[in-house]
Amino acid sequence: MSKMDKLHGIKLWTLLLIFSLWNLESDAAQRLPDGCGKSTKFELSYAAVPSSDIERFSTGYQGVLWKIYYDNPGRYRVKINFIFPNKTEDNVEIATVVRTGTDGSNCDDGKNDVGIIQFRCKTKPNSQSKKGVEMQVDNLKTFTKEHSGFKLVFQTYEYWNATDIFHKCSVDNIRVEDCNNLSFMLPGGPLTISSTSGHFDSVGKVTCGEENDYPVRLDAFYNTSKCLPNATWENEEDKGNFKCWEAPSINLTGATEIAVGKESTFRCYFTVSDPPVEQVTYTYTNGDSKDTKTYGTLGTTMVSPAPVYKRNATVVNGKQQIQCSVSTKLTRLPQLSDVGTSERQLDEIYAPRLVNDEAPMNCTFELGNRDQSCKFVFAASPRVDVARFGKITRWNEYTVDVLGDILPETASGLWSYTFKNAPGLTKELDNGEWRLRVTNSPFNDQPLDITFYLTVNDPPSGLSGGAIAGIVIGVLVAVAGVVFAYLKFRSA
C-alpha cells in the first residue's frame, strides 16, 4: 500500500469516526433543564456504568439504573416517572416522602416494587453534620428495543403544597440498543469489535490491523470485549486503552543443508514489534532429538539480528529442521504460541557411501558375451559430480570419466553405475583389480572407492559366443527341416 493510499484510508476512517460521533450525539439522551441533577444537594447519577457519560442501556439489561442523592433540609413529596412511548403498559409512577436534616433523614418507603421498576431508599451520610437520602431505581424486567426512547422524570414538591416544585429533572430520549459492531482507527490500523448478538454481557471479538492481529490493552492480552449496560463495548469510551499489536516479522537465514562433520550456520532477523522482542530461541530438530539455544533476557529489548547459531552434527538421523522463534509479552501466551516463528526443513547431505555390503567383490565376464555386466549401487547427497573408472594398475594412465553413466535408482538418494562386458576386454590386459571412485561437493576429500576383481574368461568349450550362437541356429534349422518333411509325408 502506498503512502497516498494510507493517507486516503486515514481520512476515510476519520470521516467515518466524525459521522459516528455526530450520529451518536443526535441520538443521545438529554437532561432538561441542561445539567440538572448535578448539584451537591441533588445528584441524579447514571448508575449502570458509573464512569460513563452516556445515559443509555443495552438490550437485555436488567439491574441498577439511577441513584438519586437528595439533601435539601425539610420534608418533601417525591415523584418519579418512567414513561415508555412505545410500550405504555410498562409506564411507572413512584411516589414517596423524604425527610432530610441534621437530626436524621429517611423515606416513607424504603423498598417499593412498581411494575417493572424497583424503588429503594436509604439514609446516606454526606458529612458529620449533615445527612441526606439515597434513592435507587432498578429495572426488574430486561429492556428490549421497544423500551427505547423512554423518559425518566424526577420531581420534589413542598410537602404541604403539591404545586410548589422545588427540584425537577428529566432525562429524555433514553435509548435501548444493541452493542453495534464497531471500528475505529488506531496508529497500527483499524480496530474492530464484532459480535453476532450485541445484547448486554455478550462477547465481541476484537481484531486489529489490516491482517487482524490481536491488540494490546494495558500491556495485557486482549481479544474479546463485553457489551456493557450502556450499550458500549468494554473500554470503548476510553480508546486510549487500545493499542494495536505490531507483530514481528521473522527471517531465518543461513544453511539449507545439514551434514555430519560439517558446521552449519544460521541467523535470525526480526522487525521492530510492539511489545518488543525479548528473547530469540533456535531449535534444531534431528529426528526425535532436539537442541535449543536461547539468547536474550525476559524484560529487556533485543535488537535484530540475533546472535549466530552454529551446528556441527555428529550424527544425522531422520527429519532435519531448524526453527527461529521470538518471544514477546504476547507470543508467550498460549493463544499466540504459533506467532513469531520461522522454520525450514534442512536437506541432509553426506559423502558417497555404500548402502549395504552387497557390492560385488568379483566380476566375471566371458569373451564376446555382451549380456554380462556388474552393477554398483551407492548413496550420495547431493549427486556425485566426479566419477572415474579404471584398472588400478593403470589408474593414472587409462581411467575414464563415467559421470554420465551414473544413474538414479528408484529410492531417493541412491545412484548406480553398471560396468558392461565390452568387445575390447582381454584376459591378458584386463584381468585384475578395478576401481570406481566417486565424490561429491562439499565432500571432495571423502571419495568412495569401490574395488573389485575382474576376471575375463574364454567361452565354454573353447567356442566363442558367436560360434555358440551359430551352432544353436544350425540345430534349430535342422530340426525345423525334419519336422517339415514328416508333415509332408503324412499328408501324401
Side-chain angles (χ1 to χ4, degrees):
M1 182 182 291
S2 66
K3 291 183 178 179
M4 188 60 69
D5 290 336
K6 290 183 178 179
L7 181 59
H8 288 316
I10 293 173
K11 288 181 178 179
L12 177 60
W13 279 103
T14 303
L15 290 174
L16 289 173
L17 182 60
I18 292 173
F19 174 78
S20 299
L21 292 175
W22 175 83
N23 192 54
L24 178 65
E25 191 68 29
S26 63
D27 290 338
Q30 295 180 339
R31 291 203 177 196
L32 298 174
D34 186 32
C36 66
K38 295 187 178 182
S39 68
T40 57
K41 293 182 177 294
F42 167 42
E43 186 177 357
L44 176 63
S45 303
Y46 175 78
V49 182
S51 60
S52 175
D53 294 328
I54 302 173
E55 294 183 282
R56 179 176 62 190
F57 297 95
S58 56
T59 53
Y61 176 69
Q62 178 180 345
V64 60
L65 303 177
W66 282 272
K67 291 183 178 182
I68 307 156
Y69 176 74
Y70 199 73
D71 180 20
N72 197 40
R75 186 180 184 188
Y76 303 94
R77 299 183 185 275
V78 175
K79 186 166 67 173
I80 303 173
N81 291 90
F82 284 83
I83 303 169
F84 299 94
N86 302 315
K87 203 170 176 59
T88 56
E89 65 270 25
D90 285 344
N91 287 351
V92 168
E93 180 174 295
I94 300 168
T96 188
V97 174
V98 299
R99 303 171 186 83
T100 62
T102 56
D103 58 344
S105 301
N106 57 65
C107 302
D108 276 359
D109 296 303
K111 181 178 180 182
N112 191 10
D113 298 344
V114 182
I116 71 167
I117 300 299
Q118 180 185 72
F119 171 78
R120 288 178 287 177
C121 182
K122 64 181 181 179
T123 301
K124 183 177 181 180
N126 186 36
S127 68
Q128 292 182 353
S129 60
K130 199 172 185 181
K131 295 184 177 181
V133 296
E134 183 181 74
M135 294 164 272
Q136 179 175 316
V137 286
D138 306 343
N139 63 324
L140 301 173
K141 178 181 177 181
T142 56
F143 280 151
T144 68
K145 288 186 178 180
E146 290 181 278
H147 292 105
S148 188
F150 76 94
K151 176 189 291 190
L152 166 69
V153 180
F154 175 86
Q155 299 178 86
T156 60
Y157 304 84
E158 162 62 43
Y159 181 79
W160 304 108
N161 182 3
T163 61
D164 191 358
I165 300 176
F166 275 90
H167 289 98
K168 181 178 181 180
C169 183
S170 69
V171 185
D172 292 4
N173 192 32
I174 304 165
R175 312 297 296 177
V176 177
E177 301 174 348
D178 290 339
C179 279
N180 297 318
N181 292 346
L182 174 71
S183 289
F184 54 88
M185 200 67 182
L186 293 174
L191 182 141
T192 302
I193 305 176
S194 59
S195 170
T196 56
S197 168
H199 292 175
F200 167 67
D201 219 27
S202 63
V203 177
K205 181 181 179 182
V206 181
T207 55
C208 190
E210 300 294 340
E211 298 181 0
N212 290 333
D213 293 329
Y214 291 109
V216 178
R217 178 177 66 87
L218 302 178
D219 294 327
F221 180 72
Y222 185 74
N223 69 337
T224 59
S225 181
K226 279 192 175 183
C227 179
L228 300 178
N230 63 347
T232 63
W233 293 105
E234 184 181 19
N235 288 300
E236 175 186 338
E237 291 188 62
D238 184 7
K239 295 182 176 63
N241 283 347
F242 292 98
K243 186 177 181 182
C244 281
W245 170 41
E246 296 180 30
S249 297
I250 312 300
N251 182 26
L252 179 59
T253 65
T256 59
E257 304 162 333
I258 196 77
V260 173
K262 297 289 183 180
E263 186 176 76
S264 300
T265 301
F266 308 93
R267 195 162 202 180
C268 190
Y269 291 78
F270 50 92
T271 59
V272 175
S273 64
D274 190 4
V277 172
E278 298 175 2
Q279 286 185 332
V280 172
T281 299
Y282 294 97
T283 303
Y284 165 63
T285 302
N286 181 9
D288 295 331
S289 65
K290 290 186 178 181
D291 176 70
T292 61
K293 178 67 175 178
T294 299
Y295 298 95
T297 304
L298 295 182
T300 63
T301 298
M302 284 195 70
V303 178
S304 181
V308 170
Y309 173 75
K310 296 181 179 181
R311 184 67 187 173
N312 193 340
T314 56
V315 64
V316 175
N317 181 26
K319 179 183 178 182
Q320 308 297 306
Q321 178 180 286
I322 183 69
Q323 180 190 76
C324 167
S325 58
V326 300
S327 177
T328 73
K329 288 181 179 179
L330 284 184
T331 60
R332 290 195 293 276
L333 294 167
Q335 301 94 322
L336 296 174
S337 58
D338 59 341
V339 177
T341 64
S342 177
E343 63 185 29
R344 68 169 63 162
Q345 304 302 317
L346 300 175
D347 295 327
E348 179 187 354
I349 60 173
Y350 46 85
R353 59 179 183 238
L354 289 174
V355 293
N356 50 47
D357 296 329
E358 298 178 1
M361 302 302 295
N362 295 286
C363 190
T364 303
F365 290 160
E366 295 172 359
L367 290 172
N369 189 344
R370 302 287 185 85
D371 296 329
Q372 293 177 324
S373 63
C374 288
K375 186 176 182 180
F376 306 94
V377 180
F378 57 91
S381 178
R383 186 187 191 279
V384 298
D385 46 25
V386 175
R388 307 292 298 180
F389 185 74
K391 190 175 182 182
I392 293 178
T393 56
R394 295 186 292 166
W395 186 260
N396 295 328
E397 304 174 56
Y398 298 108
T399 55
V400 295
D401 181 3
V402 293
L403 183 61
D405 297 319
I406 303 296
L407 301 177
E409 292 290 287
T410 304
S412 177
L414 294 185
W415 308 88
S416 67
Y417 171 70
T418 301
F419 177 37
K420 298 178 180 179
N421 192 350
L425 292 176
T426 66
K427 295 189 296 181
E428 293 78 11
L429 294 177
D430 298 316
N431 280 357
E433 285 190 315
W434 286 64
R435 176 191 294 150
L436 171 66
R437 173 174 288 178
V438 291
T439 59
N440 62 351
S441 298
F443 305 98
N444 296 322
D445 58 341
Q446 301 177 47
L448 170 64
D449 284 348
I450 301 176
T451 302
F452 64 97
Y453 193 92
L454 175 63
T455 302
V456 180
N457 294 324
D458 291 325
S461 303
L463 296 176
S464 66
I468 294 172
I471 292 172
V472 172
I473 293 172
V475 170
L476 292 175
V477 171
V479 172
V482 172
V483 173
F484 176 75
Y486 174 72
L487 293 175
K488 185 175 181 181
F489 170 76
R490 289 290 302 272
S491 63

